[in-house]
């Protein structure tokens, strides 16, 4: 049987999409939102050599911290994974691709576009020493983050070697494992993807994920009237409610609330309650409490809501 510390197969089985972005449901609106955030923090070299705007690691750090998209401890590994051409900066296409792959809502479909792209990003994210292989400590972190239960150090070490043995990553000598650490054979990226696509390594759908989306417009820009979110100048805070910008004053928000929720005018004022509940009396007062509730329902404002006397 499979190790109980690993996730069941939650990944979707198939897709009819024709490319990664279609499969990830990242269209023009998501690209525009990602561009807006990118532009806010990107370095702009001007016309020097026609170099496009880019995010340095410092720019990327400020962006990620501003949007609270990741723990600080993961910023270096996220940046390295997204920097596909290894030039120590992110152009917009790299940033959009990586942000889409890491988006909390992006699907993780095995043997398809999202599965392949996300597996590549995930491998680079955990390949801390940039060797092109997952060394034992790196592989152990993968096993830790795939596990559905919290493991102490001893349990994690045991699970790591059990999983390595299951995946064929332990080299036997004379028919047995002589030394576990020395016998571990670090997997390559292609092996890593094979483990994922064959469902031999499960739980990877949660790996390489931002804490918040960088491609979805904040809620206060998702207007019911279909306005283009990118034409607004938002606060970038996602603490809005019912379409209100966070800069709005409580009075203006209240006015908008009456506009959005006209049904509030249709509600009758609730009658004053004469019922006082004493939580210390317990079940012995249940009959009296029920009687007082029925008296309240007999108020004219609640006409025909009270049950008949016979039931």
């Amino acid at each position: 049987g499979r190790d109980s510390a690993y996730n069941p197969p939650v990944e979707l089985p198939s897709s009819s999409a024709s490319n990664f972005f279609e499969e990830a449901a990242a269209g023009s609106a998501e690209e525009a939102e990602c561009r807006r955030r990118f532009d806010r923090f990107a370095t702009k070299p001007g016309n020097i050599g026609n170099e496009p705007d880019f995010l340095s690691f410092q720019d990327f750090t400020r962006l990620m911290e501003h949007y609270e998209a990741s723990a600080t401890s993961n910023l270096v590994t996220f940046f390295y994974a997204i920097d596909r051409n290894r030039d120590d900066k992110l152009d917009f296409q790299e940033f959009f691709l990586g942000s889409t792959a890491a988006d909390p809502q992006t699907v993780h479909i095995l043997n398809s576009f999202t599965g392949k792209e996300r597996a590549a990003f995930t491998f680079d994210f955990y390949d801390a020493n940039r060797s092109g292989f997952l060394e034992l400590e790196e592989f152990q972190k993968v096993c830790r983050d795939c596990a559905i239960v919290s493991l102490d150090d001893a349990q994690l070490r045991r699970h790591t070697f059990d999983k390595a043995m299951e995946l064929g990553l332990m080299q036997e000598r004379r028919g047995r494992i002589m030394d576990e650490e020395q016998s571990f054979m670090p997997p390559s990226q292609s092996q890593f993807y094979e483990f994922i696509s064959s469902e031999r390594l499960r739980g990877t759908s949660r790996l390489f994920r931002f804490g918040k989306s960088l491609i979805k417009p904040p809620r206060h820009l998702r207007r019911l009237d279909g306005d283009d979110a990118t034409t607004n100048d938002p606060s970038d805070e996602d603490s809005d409610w019912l379409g209100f910008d966070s800069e709005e004053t409580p009075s203006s928000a209240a006015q908008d609330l009456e506009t959005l929720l006209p049904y509030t005018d249709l509600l009758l004022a609730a009658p004053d309650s004469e019922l006082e509940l004493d939580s210390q009396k317990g079940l012995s007062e249940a009959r009296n409490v029920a009687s007082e509730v029925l008296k309240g329902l007999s108020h004219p404002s609640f006409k025909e809501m009270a049950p008949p006397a016979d039931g």
Side-chain angles (χ1 to χ4, degrees), residues 30-142:
E30 286 74 18
E31 182 175 5
E33 177 62 20
C34 191
R35 167 69 78 174
R36 183 183 68 80
R37 301 188 188 212
F38 175 89
D39 288 344
R40 180 170 180 176
F41 292 90
T43 294
K44 297 172 173 51
N47 294 325
I48 302 176
N50 293 321
E51 183 179 2
D53 297 352
F54 64 87
L55 293 175
S56 66
F57 176 69
Q58 290 73 23
D59 299 332
F60 178 75
T61 297
R62 289 190 299 115
L63 183 153
M64 297 291 281
E65 290 179 345
H66 177 81
Y67 294 112
E68 300 178 339
S70 169
T72 302
S73 59
N74 290 331
L75 292 180
V76 171
T77 46
F78 268 127
F79 184 84
Y80 173 78
I82 297 173
D83 181 21
R84 283 281 176 88
N85 64 4
R86 303 293 182 254
D87 63 353
D88 296 323
K89 56 189 176 184
L90 306 179
D91 61 34
F92 176 70
Q93 292 305 319
E94 287 177 317
F95 181 69
F96 182 42
L97 177 63
S99 296
T100 301
D103 192 84
Q105 299 180 37
T106 294
V107 295
H108 183 86
I109 302 179
L110 302 180
N111 295 303
S112 194
F113 300 104
T114 51
K116 292 177 182 177
E117 285 288 0
R118 283 187 33 76
F121 279 120
T122 300
F123 182 91
D124 287 340
F125 180 86
Y126 286 93
D127 182 20
N129 66 0
R130 319 297 185 238
S131 68
F133 295 87
L134 293 181
E135 313 295 342
L136 179 58
E137 183 179 352
E138 298 164 346
F139 181 74
Q140 181 169 284
K141 291 180 180 178
V142 172

Side-chain angles (χ1 to χ4, degrees), residues 307-311:
D310 59 358

Side-chain angles (χ1 to χ4, degrees), residues 137-262:
E137 183 179 352
E138 298 164 346
F139 181 74
Q140 181 169 284
K141 291 180 180 178
V142 172
C143 293
R144 177 198 65 193
D145 294 345
C146 283
I148 59 174
V149 295
S150 179
L151 305 174
D152 62 31
D153 291 344
Q155 292 172 326
L156 177 58
R157 178 182 174 84
R158 185 69 267 143
H159 278 298
T160 298
F161 285 118
D162 286 348
K163 180 56 63 174
M165 178 67 76
E166 178 185 329
L167 296 175
L169 297 176
M170 301 297 289
Q171 184 178 23
E172 296 184 6
R173 297 180 181 178
R174 297 180 181 177
R176 60 193 181 116
I177 304 298
M178 304 296 293
D179 179 280
E180 288 183 321
E181 292 191 10
Q182 294 295 325
S183 299
F184 179 76
M185 299 182 291
S188 64
Q189 185 179 104
S190 60
Q191 287 178 294
F192 182 70
Y193 177 64
E194 192 278 326
F195 297 152
I196 295 174
S197 62
S198 64
E199 298 188 68
R200 298 168 66 195
L201 180 61
R202 293 180 169 177
T204 57
S205 60
R206 72 157 61 95
L207 307 184
F208 191 75
R209 295 285 188 183
F210 289 160
K212 293 183 178 180
S213 176
L214 294 180
I215 65 173
K216 303 295 183 183
R219 287 191 297 271
H220 65 278
L221 297 181
R222 301 172 194 169
R223 303 293 185 180
L224 296 178
D225 57 12
D227 287 346
D228 184 356
T230 62
T231 63
N232 295 279
D233 183 20
S235 66
D236 294 320
E237 298 296 335
D238 207 22
S239 59
D240 51 273
W241 180 64
L242 288 177
F244 304 143
D245 291 336
S246 59
E247 296 93 346
E248 291 178 344
T249 62
S251 61
S252 67
Q255 293 172 357
D256 285 345
L257 181 59
E258 291 183 2
T259 301
L260 289 172
L261 307 179

